[in-house]
């Protein structure tokens, strides 16, 4: 620690810090544009010039290291003169079109111009015009004349997204930010460039001209898509979600969110939304009131229970539903006398997990510190954009990532060892690595395997270094031998000191396990229910045709079910449903998601339910009442959460009690191959909301899957 | 017309500008005819004796690294690229014990308007640079070096590559040089002609294959240079001076010049003189003497002003300049810089507004665009000067120019901002009346100007 003096205040700060860090610590604001705490230093905007005693020139605070006894003045005339002159330079070629700029009102340049700009310009020549660029459906580069060349977007691409899609071409006044040869920006994290752009050069295309920033209410929420549980600020106007930006949370998403989290809100305003209950009568869909619809459901369920027994009733639920919704559905099904409930629609194997929920195994914030990572069966970058970003930072800090999968990893980070194996032979490939580890350590291998060169390379990597993890991706968890994969990885982890975890697919995959959304003894699993094992089927927030491993064939088997009740925010499952109950998406209901690391994150509704739709927890409570069932009579979503009592006593914050989580699995006795290909959702096919976001569907990432769906 | 024909029109043979027997005590240009650049001829002039000396050839004891650096320090050799930093001191900054790669880089990206000395050194005496670099590499314990050659001198680059081949074949470069344990690999790299790549950190970026943009310092190249490794960068002429120093001793070099300004310096005299060219003279030679060597001001003209150290150095009026001697300290005292030694002579037919317009255009064109004051300010300066020149100036424009130049100077990542601002401020300081005349009369003060 060294001591410096900043504006007369003594500050203790670590050696190697910059003046900017000291100022942040002291709560002193130094104006800046190019500096961003998560990006490398450019020191190019020169806005943060400050007066350092004994230095003849003003120094950039962002890039000047502190020294013992340094005396800094951030508001002396020398500092302020320098800052004002930089502001003048920034404004001479800036179009000053704030009234028609989407950034107006939340623009760093605009804000700082108030403090450091002059009333009148001394520049009377023509201003520079930069031609607009077309870079895809998410980012608008219409206003490139506004660009101040801070290169935050360029550095974001290089350092955070891992792919330098934007660069500064040309020189001097002709320098401009553009993509290489007019390509589109295809990163799954691209929207963050909009946030970090300090001016209106990069703006959100879907939000363009929709509202002014001061008209928007800001409400906190949690992303309902992948298992990161990214914290969101949802911007609302007239009871409509118009924009989503990240809420900073160092432990979860830092200051980033994936494009899926950011632009999926379009799906909330989709014309597909179901706004009133509907019943199919004589093949025709009729809009009815809630009472009629619920009575229809209650009558149907009671009849089927009487005729075929409770075991012919079951529920297929979504891991994107809230903890409360899942718990109430599970309670409803069990109170009816059935054990048929499952969230694992895309799985191929359905083992019992001994009451402990499969999870990441380590905190998300610990990922960048890992020195060795083996990722098994994951399209890491697209399935978990933010977790991939954390692992990218680990690689940047010298960590070594290995990959085992059925395709070459394209993760926008260097992968040290890659083993490409067809999914059929994954268990063998893991067994080979285990054998290589066993050989190295002079112990017996768990099952027989061959020490191939690839296996040896990965084993050697895992045996070296500290802080290691083996992470199983969606394809590994949805694999027909998921338990064997997990168990063998567990064995490797045990003998290499690596933590074993599942990246987990959805925003509430961990929560679904904790809420009891898996079949009990004698219950049918998702695969059996989807094969036509039910007379009455409850579909909570899912579309089996898109959300399950069986895909389109779900239609036929569900047509055989006498009663199919769909609870969904959308008009969907029309072909095989009998009743549609409109429930609220995450934005219109309170609830809780448990993310991959076991963090419970509760949220409130950010807008009122659309039309006659209602939060699912209320619908389920009423259904329970009408059916005369016990255990559903909660007064609020919060009460459900409290009833579940998942919080660890000793854990800080909102982490689930560690005794409820675990990744232990039973070792296989031998290795066999399988011909079942694991079902993995493409990045923008993950859930119903994402599928209904037109902008996301227009991205390059969405194209292959969209073509497949059309075919 | 073939490509070669086109290019050759722009290439001086150097015979007129370099081989005129009007050097004073030349060291680098000594004995050159324009055709004797090959290894054998260089050796005949005493070439590679210095390298043999430090490596201890023919039974003699060699020099230690410290002795080499001490000799260079004693010589008071100062960087010939423009900043005039003491070379020996720079070499001593290099962390010699650093494990892993260290690099030596020769800055031959000579782009300063008015300067053409490095081109002629590389073209007519390439081995002197190779020898100087090998000695420097020995002193700092570097095993790999690069010579970054300006992008617009094609045949010079080709000749340097040829000279490298000769040196490698003769065992002056490569592994175990002259049978010793000293190994040094030297490579030439051809730039693309951007002025900014003459700035040392931009040069490193360019050498790494990136866009040539200066880095923020600190860290300095001595600790974080090429590929993030400790790197020493010197100008071509600096390296070329080293063999003479090693052969004749630091004291002899110092005596040749004046205290704190050792040795000879090559001045590229251009502009309104009878015999423009490169003149190698001892440091401290009076300017009047240099002007005389260059044949004096064009016939029938009076000396008006001189830009003493390349286009970025502040202009000095004739009266001040005639009192100066040509060395770092004297020119600095007069309010300018010796810079790269490009002496641009302006006679009384020159309009200062027009001259500044040309200079400002150059700096606007060559700004890399990275940092704000330079990117935006250089264009602003040029536009204001241009409107004055074209008769659209306003009375407040001189204050505006001075203020904008002041806002650029000292606030940029590299010295290009300063280079753009200094000529403006000096022009206004010494020739403000010409600008005022332009604004007032919308025409030039210099009647003879064409």
């Amino acid at each position: 620690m060294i001591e410096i003096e900043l504006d007369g205040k003594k500050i203790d700060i670590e050696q190697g810090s910059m003046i900017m860090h000291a100022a942040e610590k002291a709560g002193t604001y130094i104006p800046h544009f190019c500096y961003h705490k998560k990006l490398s230093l450019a020191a190019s905007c020169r806005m943060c010039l400050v007066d350092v005693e004994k230095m003849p020139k003003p120094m950039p605070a962002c890039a000047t290291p502190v020294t013992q006894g340094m005396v800094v003045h951030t508001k002396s005339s020398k500092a302020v003169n320098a800052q004002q002159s930089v502001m003048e330079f920034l404004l001479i070629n800036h179009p000053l079109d704030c009234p028609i700029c989407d950034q107006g009102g939340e623009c760093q340049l605009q804000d700082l111009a108030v403090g450091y700009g002059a009333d009148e310009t001394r520049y009377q020549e023509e201003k520079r015009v930069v031609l607009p660029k077309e870079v895809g459906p998410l980012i608008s580069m219409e206003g490139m004349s506004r660009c101040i060349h801070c290169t935050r977007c360029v550095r974001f691409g290089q350092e955070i997204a891992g792919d330098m899609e934007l660069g500064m071409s040309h020189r001097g006044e002709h320098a401009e930010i553009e993509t290489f040869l007019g390509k589109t920006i295809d990163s799954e994290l691209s929207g963050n460039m909009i946030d970090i752009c300090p001016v209106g050069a990069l703006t959100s295309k879907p939000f363009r001209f929709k509202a002014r920033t001061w008209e928007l209410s800001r409400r906190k929420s949690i992303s309902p898509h992948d298992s990161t549980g990214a914290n969101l600020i949802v911007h609302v106007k007239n009871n409509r979600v118009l924009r989503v930006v990240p809420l900073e949370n160092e432990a979860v998403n830092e200051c980033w969110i994936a494009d899926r989290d950011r632009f999926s809100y379009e799906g909330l305003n989709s014309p597909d939304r179901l706004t009133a209950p509907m019943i199919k009568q004589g093949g025709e869909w009729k809009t009815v009131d809630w009472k009629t619809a619920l009575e229809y459901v209650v009558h149907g369920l009671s009849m089927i229970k009487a005729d075929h027994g409770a075991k012919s009733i079951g529920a297929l639920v979504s891991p994107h539903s809230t903890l409360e919704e899942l718990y109430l559905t599970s309670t409803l099904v069990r109170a009816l006398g059935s054990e048929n409930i499952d969230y694992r629609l895309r799985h191929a194997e359905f083992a019992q997990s001994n009451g402990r929920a499969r999870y990441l195994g380590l905190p998300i914030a610990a990922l960048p510190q890992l020195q060795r990572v083996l990722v098994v069966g994951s399209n890491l970058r697209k399935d978990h954009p933010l977790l991939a970003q954390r692992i990218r930072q680990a690689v940047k800090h010298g960590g070594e990532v290995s990959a085992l999968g059925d395709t070459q990893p394209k993760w926008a980070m260097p992968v040290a060892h890659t083993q490409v194996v067809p999914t059929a032979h994954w268990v063998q490939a893991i067994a080979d690595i285990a054998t290589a580890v066993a050989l190295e350590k002079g112990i017996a291998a768990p099952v027989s395997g061959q020490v191939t060169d690839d296996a040896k390379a990965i084993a050697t990597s895992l045996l070296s270094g500290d802080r290691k993890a083996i992470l199983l991706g969606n394809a590994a968890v949805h694999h027909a031998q998921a338990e064997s994969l997990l168990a063998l990885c567990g064995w490797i982890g045990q003998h290499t000191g690596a933590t074993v975890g599942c990246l987990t697919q959805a925003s509430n995959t961990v929560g679904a396990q904790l809420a009891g959304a898996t079949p009990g003894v004698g219950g049918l699993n998702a695969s059996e229910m989807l094969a036509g094992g039910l007379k009455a089927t409850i579909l909570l927030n899912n579309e089996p045709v898109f959300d399950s491993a069986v895909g389109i064939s779900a239609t036929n088997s569900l047509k055989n079910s006498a009663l199919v009740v769909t609870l969904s925010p959308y008009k969907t499952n029309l072909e095989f449903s009998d009743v549609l109950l409109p429930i609220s998406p995450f934005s219109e209901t309170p609830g809780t998601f448990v993310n991959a690391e076991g963090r419970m994150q509760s949220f409130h509704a950010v807008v009122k339910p659309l039309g006659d739709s209602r939060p699912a927890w209320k619908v389920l409570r009423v259904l329970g009442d009408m059916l005369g069932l016990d255990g559903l009579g909660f007064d609020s979503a919060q009460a459900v959460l409290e009833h579940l009592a998942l919080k660890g006593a000793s854990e800080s914050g909102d982490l689930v009690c560690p005794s409820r989580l675990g990744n232990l699995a039973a070792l296989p006795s031998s290795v066999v191959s399988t011909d079942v290909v694991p079902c993995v959702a493409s990045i923008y096919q993950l859930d119903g909301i994402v599928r209904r976001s037109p902008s996301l569907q227009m991205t390059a990432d969405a194209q292959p899957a969209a073509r497949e769906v059309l075919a | 017309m073939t490509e070669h024909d086109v290019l050759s029109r722009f290439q001086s043979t150097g015979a007129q500008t370099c081989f005129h027997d009007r050097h004073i005590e030349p060291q680098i240009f000594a004995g050159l005819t324009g055709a004797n650049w090959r290894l054998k001829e260089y050796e005949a002039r005493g070439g590679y004796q210095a390298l043999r000396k430090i490596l201890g050839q023919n039974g003699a004891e060699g020099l230690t690294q410290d002795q080499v650096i001490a000799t260079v320090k004693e010589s008071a050799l100062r960087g010939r690229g423009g900043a005039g930093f003491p070379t020996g001191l720079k070499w001593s900054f290099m962390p010699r014990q650093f494990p892993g790669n260290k690099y030596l880089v020769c800055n031959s990206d000579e782009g300063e308007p008015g300067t053409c000395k490095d081109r002629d050194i590389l073209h007519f005496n390439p081995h002197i640079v190779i020898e100087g670099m090998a000695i420097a590499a020995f002193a700092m314990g570097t095993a790999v070096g690069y010579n970054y050659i300006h992008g617009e001198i094609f045949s010079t680059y080709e000749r340097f590559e040829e000279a490298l081949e000769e040196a490698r074949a003769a065992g002056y470069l490569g592994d175990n040089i002259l049978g010793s344990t000293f190994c040094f690999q030297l490579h030439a790299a051809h730039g693309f002609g951007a002025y900014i790549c003459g700035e040392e950190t931009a040069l490193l970026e360019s050498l790494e294959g990136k866009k040539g943009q200066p880095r923020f310092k600190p860290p300095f190249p001595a600790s974080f240079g090429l590929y993030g490794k400790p790197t020493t960068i010197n100008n071509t002429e600096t390296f070329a001076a080293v063999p003479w120093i090693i052969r004749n001793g630091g004291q002899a070099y110092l005596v040749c010049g004046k205290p704190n300004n050792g040795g000879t310096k090559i001045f590229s005299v251009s502009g309104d003189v009878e015999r423009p060219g490169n003149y190698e003279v001892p440091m401290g030679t009076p300017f009047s003497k240099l002007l005389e060597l260059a044949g004096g001001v064009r016939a029938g003209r009076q000396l008006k002003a001189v830009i003493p150290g390349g286009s970025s150095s502040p202009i000095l009026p004739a009266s001040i300049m005639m009192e100066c001697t040509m060395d770092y300290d004297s020119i600095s005292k007069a309010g300018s810089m010796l810079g790269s030694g490009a002496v641009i002579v302006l006679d009384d037919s020159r309009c200062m507004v027009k001259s500044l317009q040309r200079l400002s255009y150059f700096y606007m064109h060559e700004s890399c665009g990275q940092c704000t004051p330079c990117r935006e300010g250089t264009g602003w300066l040029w536009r204001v000067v241009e409107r004055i020149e074209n008769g659209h100036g306003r009375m407040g424009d001189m204050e505006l120019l001075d203020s904008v130049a002041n806002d650029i100077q000292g606030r940029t990542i590299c010295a290009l901002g300063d280079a753009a601002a200094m000529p403006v401020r000096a022009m206004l300081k010494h020739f403000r009346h010409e600008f005022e005349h332009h604004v007032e009369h919308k025409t030039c003060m210099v009647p003879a100007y064409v």
Side-chain angles (χ1 to χ4, degrees):
Chain A
M1 292 298 261
I2 54 176
E3 192 185 76
I4 74 159
E5 192 185 310
L6 190 123
D7 291 343
K9 216 189 281 179
K10 295 254 187 282
I11 299 158
D12 286 316
I13 184 101
E14 275 162 61
Q15 182 107 37
S17 306
M18 303 296 167
I19 295 174
M20 186 70 88
H21 300 137
E24 274 169 7
K25 199 173 172 189
T28 304
Y29 180 75
I30 299 176
H32 60 268
F33 295 107
C34 70
Y35 169 77
H36 189 282
K37 62 183 173 185
K38 293 282 179 191
L39 302 175
S40 65
L41 299 172
S44 64
C45 77
R46 315 309 279 180
M47 193 63 209
C48 67
L49 290 174
V50 292
D51 178 4
V52 180
E53 276 186 17
K54 295 191 189 127
M55 301 240 191
K57 302 174 186 176
M59 301 299 287
C62 68
T64 305
V66 291
T67 52
Q68 179 64 39
M70 183 185 250
V71 181
V72 182
H73 304 285
T74 69
K75 294 178 180 67
S76 68
S77 65
K78 184 171 159 189
V80 172
N81 279 345
Q83 292 161 1
Q84 284 174 338
S85 71
V86 171
M87 178 53 77
E88 179 176 33
F89 284 132
L90 286 171
L91 292 179
I92 62 170
N93 276 307
H94 189 82
L96 298 173
D97 58 345
C98 309
I100 57 148
C101 174
D102 256 351
Q103 194 85 354
E106 52 182 8
C107 173
Q108 225 170 322
L109 185 67
Q110 200 180 28
D111 292 350
L112 290 178
V114 174
Y116 299 90
D119 298 345
E120 260 182 273
T121 179
R122 297 192 290 166
Y123 183 78
Q124 283 145 351
E125 272 63 34
E126 271 180 44
K127 286 188 186 243
R128 173 172 63 226
V129 172
V130 182
L131 292 180
K133 317 277 185 294
E134 173 57 49
V135 292
L138 303 180
I139 299 179
S140 164
M141 287 175 76
E142 284 294 317
M144 286 314 287
S145 297
R146 300 170 187 147
C147 176
I148 58 166
H149 307 86
C150 70
T151 68
R152 277 183 178 184
C153 53
V154 177
R155 285 174 284 145
F156 174 86
Q158 291 171 309
E159 295 159 23
I160 306 295
D163 198 355
M164 183 180 171
E165 293 185 294
L166 284 172
M168 191 162 88
S169 57
H170 309 301
R171 206 166 66 185
E173 338 184 272
H174 303 291
E176 52 184 295
I177 301 291
E178 58 184 337
T179 53
F180 185 64
L181 297 179
K183 287 183 180 184
T184 51
I185 297 175
D186 298 332
S187 168
E188 68 288 349
L189 296 171
S190 66
N192 294 300
M193 297 184 202
I194 300 166
D195 290 341
I196 59 175
C197 180
V199 296
L202 307 183
T203 53
S204 164
K205 211 175 230 184
F207 177 68
R208 195 164 154 78
F209 300 146
K210 291 284 190 300
R212 301 311 311 235
T213 175
W214 54 86
E215 302 171 323
L216 298 166
S217 309
R218 285 153 171 81
R219 289 162 194 166
K220 291 182 193 174
S221 192
I222 302 294
S223 168
H225 307 298
D226 69 38
S227 60
T228 311
N231 293 201
L232 311 177
I233 300 178
V234 181
H235 290 195
V236 173
K237 179 186 169 186
N238 295 341
N239 207 39
R240 210 173 143 90
V241 176
L242 287 186
R243 181 164 68 167
V244 170
V245 297
L247 171 66
E248 197 171 329
N249 185 341
E250 249 342 86
V252 180
N253 52 309
E254 302 167 85
C255 54
W256 316 121
I257 54 173
D259 288 353
R260 193 159 52 185
D261 307 321
R262 183 184 302 268
F263 297 107
S264 70
Y265 73 87
E266 285 187 309
L268 302 172
N269 307 324
S270 159
D272 241 9
R273 279 293 297 275
L274 181 65
T275 52
M278 296 177 94
I279 294 178
K280 187 151 63 181
Q281 283 179 329
E284 290 284 308
W285 281 101
K286 291 219 168 80
T287 300
V288 294
D289 58 19
W290 269 104
K291 189 161 179 282
T292 315
L294 289 174
E295 276 169 0
Y296 184 95
V297 173
V298 168
H299 179 71
L301 288 175
S302 310
M303 290 287 287
I304 287 167
K305 186 179 174 184
D307 291 355
H308 303 281
K311 287 190 167 35
S312 63
I313 300 171
L316 289 161
V317 297
S318 162
H320 300 277
S321 286
T322 67
L323 192 65
E324 294 80 357
E325 290 161 2
L326 292 166
Y327 174 72
L328 290 174
T329 311
S330 138
T331 309
L332 182 104
V333 170
R334 293 199 159 94
L336 280 168
S338 169
E339 283 293 338
N340 305 334
I341 178 164
D342 212 342
Y343 76 92
R344 298 170 293 183
L345 273 65
R346 291 197 178 101
H347 287 230
E349 196 187 32
F350 301 90
Q352 295 288 345
S353 62
N354 313 324
R356 283 177 180 243
R358 298 281 157 75
Y359 78 124
L360 188 61
L362 72 169
I364 290 175
L367 292 174
Q369 275 85 50
L370 291 174
Q371 289 185 346
R372 299 287 181 272
V373 189
L374 168 61
V375 181
V376 180
S378 176
N379 185 8
L380 187 65
R381 182 180 168 190
K382 302 298 176 186
D383 288 350
H384 299 95
L386 290 170
L387 301 184
Q389 187 277 124
R390 295 270 198 171
I391 293 171
R392 191 171 294 130
Q393 301 310 318
V395 177
K396 245 174 91 180
H397 299 147
E400 208 174 270
V401 171
S402 309
L404 193 154
D406 61 341
T407 49
Q408 282 289 339
K410 291 182 198 142
W411 297 344
M413 65 179 101
V415 176
H417 309 289
T418 305
Q419 201 175 350
V420 179
V421 187
T423 54
H425 305 299
W426 279 2
V427 176
Q428 185 61 60
I430 297 284
D432 292 349
I433 296 170
T435 309
V437 170
L439 190 71
E440 197 69 31
K441 302 206 56 161
I443 51 176
V447 287
S448 67
Q450 301 270 323
V451 183
T452 61
D453 288 347
D454 282 343
K456 191 152 187 270
I458 294 176
T460 311
S461 168
L462 283 173
L463 282 163
S464 60
D466 320 306
R467 302 193 300 280
K468 314 162 204 187
I470 303 173
L471 302 172
L472 286 92
N474 295 351
V477 172
H478 300 172
H479 196 269
Q481 293 154 331
E483 285 299 295
S484 301
L485 286 173
L486 183 60
L488 285 168
C489 286
W491 188 92
I492 297 169
Q494 192 191 336
H495 291 96
T496 56
T499 310
V500 177
C502 301
L503 292 165
T504 71
Q505 180 192 222
S507 57
N508 207 21
T509 299
V510 177
Q513 301 172 67
L514 297 167
T518 47
V521 180
L524 300 179
N525 62 42
S527 169
E528 290 161 339
M529 287 190 263
L530 283 166
L534 298 176
K535 288 288 172 204
T537 313
I538 297 166
L539 298 173
L540 175 68
N541 195 19
N542 66 71
E543 299 160 89
V545 173
F546 304 107
D547 287 327
S548 80
V550 298
I552 191 75
S553 70
T555 310
N556 283 330
S557 51
L558 287 168
K559 269 182 184 165
N560 295 331
S561 182
L563 175 70
V564 177
V565 183
T566 291
L567 289 86
S568 170
Y570 299 106
K571 266 179 226 149
T572 184
N573 300 345
L574 297 180
E575 221 171 318
F576 46 76
S577 295
D578 299 290
V579 189
L580 297 183
L581 300 179
I583 60 164
S584 304
F586 79 105
S587 52
E588 299 167 17
T589 177
T592 305
F593 291 139
V594 185
N595 77 356
E597 60 179 340
R599 183 180 299 275
M600 289 181 287
Q601 302 191 103
S602 296
F603 51 89
H604 296 292
V606 294
V607 288
K608 288 194 204 107
L610 187 72
D612 269 345
S613 66
R614 291 291 174 263
W617 74 269
K618 287 189 179 173
V619 176
L620 290 160
R621 189 188 68 174
V622 174
L623 265 181
D625 278 353
M626 292 171 74
L627 284 160
L629 305 174
D630 289 334
L632 287 92
F634 295 99
D635 290 335
S636 65
Q638 193 59 34
V640 182
L641 183 66
E642 276 160 22
H643 175 75
L644 274 164
L646 296 169
K647 212 174 219 174
S650 59
E651 298 297 304
S652 63
D654 295 316
L655 292 171
V656 170
C657 177
S659 66
R660 306 290 302 269
L661 304 167
N663 292 318
L664 278 179
L667 275 171
S669 53
S670 64
V671 176
V672 285
S673 65
T674 170
D675 52 6
V676 181
V677 178
C679 166
V680 179
S682 153
I683 178 166
Y684 298 133
Q685 291 291 324
L686 184 66
D687 58 67
I689 303 176
V690 169
R691 285 194 291 267
R692 288 175 178 83
S693 161
S695 301
L696 287 177
Q697 294 309 320
M698 282 190 286
T699 59
D701 273 345
Q703 293 312 308
R707 275 197 293 274
E708 217 168 90
V709 169
L710 284 177
Chain B
M1 198 181 269
T2 67
E3 183 190 355
H4 187 79
D5 292 337
V6 175
L7 290 176
S8 65
R9 288 172 58 198
F10 297 101
Q11 277 160 21
S12 153
T13 60
Q16 309 89 340
T17 55
C18 232
F19 311 116
H20 39 51
D21 285 332
R22 275 173 282 115
H23 303 296
I24 301 173
E25 298 174 47
Q27 294 165 355
I28 296 166
F29 282 165
L32 296 186
T33 64
N36 55 357
W37 62 273
R38 290 200 173 270
L39 180 67
K40 286 272 166 288
E41 292 140 346
Y42 179 63
E43 284 176 327
R45 295 197 295 274
Y48 289 111
Q49 288 306 319
L51 186 61
R52 286 178 191 278
K53 183 177 169 185
I54 62 165
L55 293 177
Q57 291 290 297
N58 308 328
E61 196 155 318
L63 270 63
T64 64
Q65 293 180 322
D66 288 323
Q67 282 171 325
V68 175
I69 293 179
T71 308
V72 174
K73 275 188 178 166
E74 188 189 4
S75 74
L77 170 64
R78 292 172 64 172
R80 300 296 195 230
F85 192 81
T87 305
L89 192 59
K90 191 186 243 186
W91 288 11
S92 67
F93 288 158
M94 194 72 159
R96 261 182 282 159
Q97 303 314 316
F98 181 85
N101 280 344
K102 294 189 291 279
Y103 295 99
L104 183 69
V105 175
C106 175
N107 184 346
S108 301
D109 191 50
E110 184 181 46
E112 183 84 356
T115 318
C116 54
K117 62 188 177 67
D118 297 344
R119 181 193 68 180
D120 284 356
I121 296 170
L122 288 173
H123 208 72
F124 301 119
N125 207 3
H127 284 286
I128 200 168
V129 180
I130 297 173
E131 188 183 4
M133 286 190 76
I135 293 165
F138 172 84
M140 288 175 277
T142 42
V144 181
Y146 295 93
N147 185 9
Y148 186 96
I149 299 172
H150 193 61
E152 285 149 344
I153 47 176
F154 305 93
S155 60
T156 305
Y157 166 74
E158 280 158 19
R159 178 172 291 184
F160 191 77
E161 287 278 22
E162 221 174 309
L164 282 178
E165 279 308 318
E166 285 184 330
R168 286 176 194 134
Y172 293 123
L173 288 176
D175 292 333
N176 302 103
I177 293 170
L178 299 172
S180 70
T181 55
F182 172 52
C183 306
F184 179 56
Q185 310 292 340
L186 180 58
H187 309 280
H190 203 189
F192 291 85
Y195 174 67
I196 193 62
C197 291
E199 199 279 343
E200 57 181 14
T201 51
L203 185 151
L204 295 179
E205 289 281 299
S206 174
L207 203 49
E208 287 178 12
K210 301 178 194 153
K211 191 177 179 188
Q213 286 184 337
R215 299 174 182 167
F216 180 76
K217 289 153 279 182
F220 291 94
S223 55
F224 189 93
L226 188 62
Y227 304 114
K229 304 293 181 201
T231 303
T232 298
I233 308 170
N234 283 122
N235 175 251
T236 316
E237 191 187 347
T238 313
F239 283 124
V242 171
W244 195 96
I245 296 171
I246 298 297
R247 279 204 309 273
N248 301 289
Q251 191 57 34
Y253 191 78
L254 177 62
V255 167
C256 171
K258 65 185 247 189
N260 199 28
N261 295 269
T264 60
K265 169 92 186 81
I266 301 171
F267 291 99
S268 306
V269 185
S270 65
D272 301 323
V273 289
E274 284 293 336
R275 302 161 115 170
N278 283 322
Y279 295 87
E280 184 175 359
V281 297
M283 283 285 196
T285 303
F287 170 72
S288 51
K289 177 73 186 165
L290 184 65
L291 188 60
E292 187 190 318
L293 292 174
V297 180
R298 282 194 300 169
R301 292 285 171 203
Q302 292 291 313
L303 182 67
K304 182 173 186 177
V306 176
I307 301 175
S311 62
S312 59
S313 60
I315 195 166
L316 293 174
S319 56
I320 298 178
M321 199 60 206
M322 290 307 277
E323 302 296 313
C324 285
T325 58
M326 297 306 286
D327 58 82
Y328 293 102
D329 298 336
S330 168
I331 302 281
S332 166
K333 215 171 138 196
S336 186
M337 330 185 300
L338 191 68
S340 58
V343 179
I344 303 171
V345 177
L346 292 88
D347 69 19
D348 54 3
S349 70
R350 295 296 166 197
C351 168
M352 288 300 154
V353 182
K354 179 78 182 169
S355 305
L356 183 59
Q357 181 202 18
R358 189 66 196 84
L359 284 177
S360 293
Y361 181 80
F362 175 80
Y363 287 106
M364 174 184 73
H365 185 71
E366 296 293 346
S367 167
C368 83
Q370 185 181 200
C371 67
T372 308
C374 176
R375 179 184 63 239
E376 308 293 345
T378 51
W380 193 358
L381 287 177
W382 173 71
R383 286 183 176 83
V384 176
V385 178
E386 173 155 279
R387 81 175 177 223
I388 298 173
E389 167 67 16
N390 292 337
H392 304 298
R394 300 163 198 145
M395 262 342 259
D397 278 355
M398 277 66 76
E399 285 72 31
L400 179 63
L401 276 179
D402 199 47
S403 157
V404 172
N406 192 27
D407 286 348
I408 298 172
Q409 202 170 346
R411 290 171 187 175
T412 52
I413 288 178
C414 77
L416 195 141
D418 298 349
M422 285 186 299
V424 175
R425 305 189 71 192
M427 283 281 195
L428 287 169
K429 184 175 164 196
H430 297 297
F431 300 98
R432 192 183 181 94
H433 55 284
E434 286 200 30
F435 287 79
E436 283 169 355
H437 186 277
H438 251 279
V439 170
E440 224 169 298
H441 303 280
K442 308 202 183 305
T443 176
C444 199
M445 195 177 165
V446 183
Y449 175 68
V450 254

